[in-house]
Each structure stands twice: as C-alpha cells, then as structure tokens.
C-alpha cells in the first residue's frame, strides 16, 4: 500500500511538472518537455496522453517558420503542445472593503466576464449573502466546466481550512467561507488573504518566469504584503504573514481598525490619503486639490490623483509623505528577508512614476545601502486586476500545481548598483 501511494504521488508530481513546464513556456514539443523536466521520453508521452485526454493540453501545428519553442534536432517536424486554456473556466472572487468583485477566467488567466457589487452597509451574514448572489451570476455565465473557486479575502485567513479567522471590517470571526461555498457549488474552493494572493498573481502571470523569491506590497483600501519564498507562497505559522499594514509607524497617530494607534494603514491607505487631502484642502479652499475634491460626487482618491497630475503642490506634498511611509514598509522587507524583487500594487500606485521614484529615493535612508542597491522595486504588472488574478492563481496552484518548483533558466550574475 505504501509503495502504491508513493508511486501515485510521484506520478501526480510528474504530471503537474509536465503541465507546469508547458504552461511556463507557452508551446513545447514532447522532446522539449523531456529535456526540461529530465523525465524519460516514454514517461512524458504517457503523461501528455493523460493531459490530452483530460483536455488540459492540446496539440497544434508547427509555426510556418518551422521553429520549435526550443532548438530541436533536424528531422520530422515535432507536434507542439500548449495548455488548453479554454477547456476549463474558474471563478475568482475579490472581497474588498467597499466592493465585491467576481471574474470568470480561463486557464491562462484571461478574464472572460467580470461583475462588481458595492458592499454598502452589508456586514456579517448579509455580506455572505451578497457574495453568494454574485457567485451565482458568475456560475450562470460559465460556458465550460468550472475548475473551482478562488477567494481573496481581507483579514487573517486560515488557508488550509478556508476559514476567515478575523475580518474586522465585515465582522467575520472564524467564518468557514471555503466550506460554505463548496457546499453550495460542489466545486473545489481555495481561500487566502488578498495581499498574499496578489504576490501569486505577479509570480504566475508576470513576465519574469525565473523568480524564486518575490515580495508584493499592496497599498490600497488596506495595506499588506504577499511573500513568495523559494517558489512557495509563505503564509506564516498563524497565516498572518505580510500583515505589514498593522506595523505601528506613529504611536501618536489615529486609532486603527485593529485596535492599535498609528498603524501604517492609517497613514498610507487610500482612505487615509483622502482624509489627509480633505484636511489640507480645508486650509486652502482655492487650491486645485480643493476644487477637485469639491467636484467629485464623493471624496475619492481619483480626485487627489487628478490634482496631483495637474501640479497641485498640496497633492504633491501628500504623495511625498505617502512615499516616505511606504519606503519604511519596503525597508522592512529588504532588511528582514533580503528579497531583491519587490513589486508595488494597489490604488495608490495610480500616482505613477513620480510616486514610485519618491519611494525609491526615500529607501536608501531606511535600510542597509548594500541591500538596497541589490533591490529592484517596480509597480506590478497587473494593476487593478492583481488581486482577482491572485485568487485565480491560488486555485491554479492548488488544483493543477502550476506555481510549485518552476523550471529555472540558468542564473545570470546580478549587476551591482542597478537596483532601485
């Protein structure tokens, strides 16, 4: 029995390895897959046959120029393989503070349909009802078998059981959201913290396919970080890894939803930025900032962005202050983990390159210079879709193994001083 179990585990691992290799490279021949995975050609052929039968992989003709994805020996033209992206669909749910968003995606992470729902005053069970109503609509739009449901939630999430241990805003304590959705839809359900899955989105769908370590700092309605360490999403012993938004940066600051005073989130979140803008605008009612806020149907970050882009000095002052605090969070990641690839995501990144440059400029004064100069700090590729794609990536990693121990290109020696 033990040998049988071990054999099945090995076969499952190898099957995921083959699928993951094809996913990472786009199109490959069977020979390419065997070279990259170091599996025997016979094993690769058997596993590809299984994947073809399950419609997870499809065959396609060689491109007109006769080139394979990787160099091959001369001879009969190889049949290329690709992930059959349209054969399955998945549902990704983002549970944000003021809005629930659901998306229907294919296996390549292409969003096929998306729907948002304002949360309003919904809390507790009422918020759960809104979530299931939104998911019902997505299910009705599916045109292919549903692989499962990925959920990105605020708060501390036990990702093993799919339980939201604590979400202050929604009043959820030990809510078994994974079990509730599984019982309703009879599909696999995987749940994790929104900032954690944003890192998965950048890792799985980002253009750099050779990363082993990655940190994604999300600064939006709330603040948190996601960590990929040695190719694995790191949750922490109590599933709270990355709760950097609740690091106290000003003990005399305002009270945070977590109960402490002066958390990073109270200084740099989108709501904090709007509150700070309103206070500044009140001191200068003729400023561009004040006019932009007054013209908005309701005070929103977009009005601050508009004033900043128009050159308003008060908005510029806010952006500089925000960048200094964000650099402290980046410095903590650099100092504690020495991760050299850090991405920024969330609504605050709407301030664009000037904000990013301000964060970079403040960083050398907040962390060890030798470590800072090795760090690449960029705005993430996926913008407002990062968390919804992260929920999809969570599902793909759990159900198909697409983010574990990925193929690595030969490493290049890092260039000194290129960094931030």
């Amino acid at each position: 029995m033990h040998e049988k179990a071990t054999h099945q585990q090995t076969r499952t691992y190898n099957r995921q390895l083959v699928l993951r290799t094809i996913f990472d490279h786009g199109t490959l021949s069977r020979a390419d897959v065997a070279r990259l995975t170091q599996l025997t050609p016979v094993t690769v052929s058997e596993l590809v046959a299984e994947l073809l039968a399950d419609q997870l992989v499809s065959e396609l003709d060689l491109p007109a120029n006769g080139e394979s994805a990787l160099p091959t020996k001369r001879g009969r033209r190889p049949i290329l393989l690709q992930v059959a992206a349209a054969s399955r669909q998945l549902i990704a749910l983002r549970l944000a503070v003021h809005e629930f968003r659901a998306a229907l995606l294919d296996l390549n992470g292409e969003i096929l349909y998306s729907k948002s729902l304002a949360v309003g005053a919904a809390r507790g069970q009422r918020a759960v009802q809104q979530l299931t109503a939104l998911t019902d609509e997505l299910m009705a739009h599916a045109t292919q078998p549903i692989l499962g449901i990925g959920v990105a939630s605020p708060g501390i999430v036990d990702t093993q059981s799919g339980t939201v241990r604590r979400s202050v805003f929604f009043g959820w304590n030990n809510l078994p959201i994974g079990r509730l959705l599984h019982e309703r839809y009879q599909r696999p359900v995987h749940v994790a913290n929104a900032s954690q899955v944003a890192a998965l989105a950048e890792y799985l769908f980002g253009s750099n396919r050779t990363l082993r370590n990655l940190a994604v700092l999300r600064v939006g309605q709330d603040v948190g970080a996601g960590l990929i360490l040695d190719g694995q999403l790191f949750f922490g012993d109590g599933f709270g890894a990355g709760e950097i938004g609740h690091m106290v940066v000003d003990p005399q600051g305002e009270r945070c939803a977590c109960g402490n005073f002066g958390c990073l989130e109270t200084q740099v979140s989108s709501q904090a930025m709007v509150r700070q803008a309103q206070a500044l605008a009140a001191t200068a009612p003729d400023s561009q900032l004040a006019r932009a806020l007054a013209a908005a149907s309701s005070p929103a970050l977009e009005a601050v962005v508009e004033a900043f882009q128009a050159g308003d000095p008060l908005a510029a002052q806010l952006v500089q202050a925000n960048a200094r605090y964000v650099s402290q969070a980046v410095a903590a990641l650099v100092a504690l983990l020495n991760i050299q690839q850090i991405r920024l995501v969330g609504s605050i990144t709407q301030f664009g390159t000037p904000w990013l440059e301000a964060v970079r400029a403040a960083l050398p004064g907040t962390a060890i210079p030798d470590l800072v100069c090795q760090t690449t700090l960029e705005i993430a590729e996926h913008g407002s879709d990062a968390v919804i794609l992260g929920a999809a990536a969570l599902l793909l990693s759990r159900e198909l193994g697409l983010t574990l121990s990925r193929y690595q290109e030969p490493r290049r020696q890092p260039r000194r001083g290129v960094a931030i």
Side-chain angles (χ1 to χ4, degrees):
M1 178 65 71
H2 176 72
E3 289 184 2
K4 183 177 180 180
T6 301
H7 175 75
Q8 184 57 45
Q9 289 169 354
T10 300
R11 190 169 186 84
T12 298
Y13 174 84
N14 288 340
R15 174 186 158 106
Q16 291 182 345
L17 177 61
V18 169
L19 180 60
R20 183 166 62 247
T21 303
I22 298 169
F23 180 89
D24 276 352
H25 288 82
T27 56
L28 289 174
S29 70
R30 288 168 174 80
D32 292 336
V33 174
R35 281 197 297 275
L36 291 171
T37 61
Q38 297 185 341
L39 297 173
T40 67
V42 172
T43 297
V44 168
S45 293
E46 291 176 351
L47 294 173
V48 167
E50 287 184 13
L51 293 169
L52 287 168
D54 289 342
Q55 296 184 325
L56 289 171
V57 165
S58 62
E59 296 179 333
L60 68 160
D61 292 332
L62 191 68
N65 61 10
E67 293 182 358
S68 151
L70 292 177
T72 59
K73 296 180 179 179
R74 293 184 179 276
R76 189 178 64 179
R77 295 195 313 178
I79 297 173
L80 297 186
L81 305 166
Q82 65 180 1
V83 171
S87 67
R88 303 285 197 286
Q89 292 175 351
L90 51 144
I91 291 175
L93 303 172
R94 177 190 179 184
L95 314 184
V97 172
H98 298 298
E99 177 186 80
F100 288 164
R101 183 185 174 200
L104 190 68
L105 306 95
D106 67 15
L107 295 183
N108 279 337
E110 293 294 325
I111 296 176
L112 309 173
Y113 176 78
S114 180
K115 179 70 179 291
S116 297
L117 180 67
V119 174
R123 302 290 184 273
Q125 187 58 34
R126 176 58 182 155
V128 175
Q129 291 170 353
Q130 287 193 346
L131 174 61
T132 54
L134 188 59
T135 308
D136 288 346
E137 181 171 342
L138 268 288
M139 282 285 185
H141 276 81
T143 58
Q144 295 292 337
I146 294 293
L147 178 69
I149 302 170
V151 184
S153 172
I156 296 180
V157 181
D158 181 339
T159 190
Q160 291 182 349
S161 66
T163 300
V164 179
R165 287 187 173 178
R166 184 173 184 239
S167 175
V168 175
F169 185 83
F170 291 115
W172 293 338
N173 288 290
N174 295 316
L175 175 70
I177 196 167
R179 177 174 60 79
L180 294 174
L181 293 176
H182 174 72
E183 290 175 353
R184 184 179 181 90
Y185 301 108
Q186 295 300 301
R187 300 289 193 284
V189 180
H190 298 283
V191 190
N193 172 272
S195 296
Q196 292 171 347
V197 300
L200 265 184
E202 188 73 8
Y203 182 72
L204 183 59
F205 299 119
S207 58
N208 189 336
R209 294 289 185 174
T210 64
L211 294 177
R212 296 297 296 168
N213 299 314
L214 172 70
V216 173
L217 178 62
R218 188 172 64 89
V219 187
Q221 294 176 349
D222 50 0
V223 178
L227 306 170
I228 303 288
L229 303 180
D230 195 24
Q232 303 286 337
L233 182 57
F234 181 69
F235 294 104
D237 292 339
F239 304 100
E243 286 290 339
I244 202 166
H246 297 289
M247 174 179 69
V248 174
V249 295
D250 179 11
Q252 306 305 315
E254 61 185 271
R255 190 178 185 88
C256 179
C258 74
N260 289 329
F261 289 87
C263 290
L264 179 68
E265 191 168 294
T266 68
Q267 297 289 341
V268 301
S269 70
S270 56
Q271 295 100 312
M273 177 74 88
V274 171
R275 289 195 301 270
Q276 294 159 7
Q278 288 175 301
L280 269 181
T283 67
D286 294 329
S287 65
Q288 177 67 33
L289 179 61
R291 291 195 297 271
L293 288 169
S297 57
S298 62
L301 185 66
E302 287 69 25
V304 186
V305 173
E306 177 188 333
F308 176 70
Q309 292 175 342
D312 181 82
L314 295 180
Q317 177 182 331
L318 287 171
V319 168
Q320 287 291 328
N322 182 281
R324 286 193 296 272
Y325 277 117
V326 170
S327 74
Q328 292 184 30
V330 174
L333 295 172
V334 171
L336 288 173
L337 299 171
N338 188 204
I339 292 179
Q340 295 181 355
Q341 297 290 332
I342 299 178
R343 304 289 185 265
L344 302 168
V345 72
S347 56
I348 293 295
T349 62
Q350 292 178 68
F351 290 102
T353 301
W355 172 79
L356 174 63
E357 293 296 345
V359 177
R360 287 172 169 170
L363 189 55
T366 55
I368 299 174
D370 284 351
L371 298 184
V372 168
C373 76
Q374 299 171 11
T375 303
T376 299
L377 181 64
E378 301 287 351
I379 292 176
E381 295 181 37
H382 301 292
S384 60
D385 289 331
V387 175
I388 206 79
L389 286 173
L394 177 70
L395 180 68
L396 289 170
S397 68
R398 295 287 180 80
E399 291 300 311
L400 301 180
L402 290 185
T403 64
L404 306 177
S405 304
R406 292 165 61 179
Y407 165 74
Q408 296 294 291
E409 301 285 355
R411 290 191 177 186
R412 298 179 179 178
Q413 291 298 319
R415 292 181 295 169
R416 297 284 299 176
V418 185
I420 61 170

